[in-house]
Amino acid sequence: MVDASNFKSDLQKETQLSTLLDRLYHKHLRFYDFERISDLNLQLKGVDLIFTKKSNQKAFYIDEKAQLDYINDDLPTFAFELSYQKNGSLRQGWLFDPSKKTDFYALVTAIYSDEPQRYTSCKITMVNRANLLTFLKTKNLTQETLENYQKETNGKHGKFVLKELHSHQEGYLYSSTKNKAEKPLNLILKLDFLIENGIAKRLI
């Protein structure tokens, strides 16, 4: 059962954060217009925003992913969801989900709240989803490979080293079976690693 108070709290956090993000987009997106999406069907398909290039009106679907569990902290990594559990069954995470229309992830990190009930600053890193999936494939980190790793975790909690990645400089698997209700399995990637390989770019 969903905890109503937690749901309300999460919704409040997201609303507060979107206020800050929209202000930052207005300031830093010189060559793009943006529209925040309220349509639930589009949101479920991985579209929180649409960036439209001013020069040619080309639209890009943006999925915002925010580290709202780590306020006033600046983590060097981001968690890309491979799977999670719902109602006792294993579900596919958003990274490899073919139903998602996402072109770019807007990874929101280093979220600081220097005033009560208000987020005052953050970092935004844009990740090209298609380029990320292609890059992972060149590393032999396909959906199939990662599903095999998932079987090896066998429901255990914690960090799992991948032979395809340097665990300190690039990334690793993390299974949250003890501290999160949905027990997600995430591919943890270093943001600098993604930037250095041309997969990501800091917007702010």
Side-chain angles (χ1 to χ4, degrees), residues 106-191:
L107 307 184
V108 186
T109 61
I111 304 167
Y112 284 85
S113 178
D114 298 326
E115 301 172 15
Q117 304 298 312
R118 185 168 177 261
Y119 297 125
T120 49
S121 65
C122 67
K123 295 177 181 177
I124 303 174
T125 304
M126 303 300 297
V127 175
N128 184 307
R129 186 189 186 212
N131 288 354
L132 173 60
L133 295 179
T134 299
F135 178 70
L136 291 175
K137 189 175 181 179
T138 66
K139 292 275 189 180
N140 195 34
L141 286 172
T142 61
Q143 183 175 353
E144 182 180 4
T145 302
L146 289 164
E147 284 175 352
N148 288 333
Y149 273 115
Q150 180 169 1
K151 292 172 186 174
E152 292 178 19
T153 66
N154 198 28
K156 294 176 183 176
H157 177 87
K159 177 179 175 179
F160 296 86
V161 174
L162 302 169
K163 69 176 186 292
E164 293 84 358
L165 295 175
H166 189 292
S167 62
H168 295 297
Q169 299 174 7
E170 299 175 344
Y172 52 89
L173 278 187
Y174 198 92
S175 178
S176 299
T177 58
K178 293 183 178 179
N179 61 335
K180 293 187 182 292
E182 293 188 331
K183 301 182 179 181
L185 178 68
N186 292 318
L187 176 62
I188 309 297
L189 295 174
K190 292 272 188 177
L191 292 173

Side-chain angles (χ1 to χ4, degrees), residues 32 38-39 53 69 79 104 178:
Y32 294 84
S38 57
D39 185 298
K53 196 167 186 177
D69 289 337
F104 288 86
K178 293 183 178 179

Side-chain angles (χ1 to χ4, degrees), residues 26-84:
H26 272 298
K27 182 177 180 180
H28 294 279
L29 285 176
R30 291 187 299 160
F31 303 110
Y32 294 84
D33 293 318
F34 78 93
E35 175 191 0
R36 186 164 291 281
I37 300 302
S38 57
D39 185 298
L40 182 59
N41 287 326
L42 264 181
Q43 289 177 348
L44 291 173
K45 291 178 181 177
V47 184
D48 292 314
L49 296 159
I50 297 177
F51 285 2
T52 304
K53 196 167 186 177
K54 293 178 181 179
S55 62
N56 59 12
Q57 295 303 299
K58 185 173 181 179
F60 298 92
Y61 292 148
I62 313 299
D63 190 359
E64 285 178 335
K65 300 293 184 185
Q67 290 182 337
L68 283 168
D69 289 337
Y70 302 95
I71 303 302
N72 298 324
D73 201 355
D74 187 359
L75 300 184
T77 57
F78 207 91
F80 294 81
E81 185 185 70
L82 300 175
S83 66
Y84 65 98

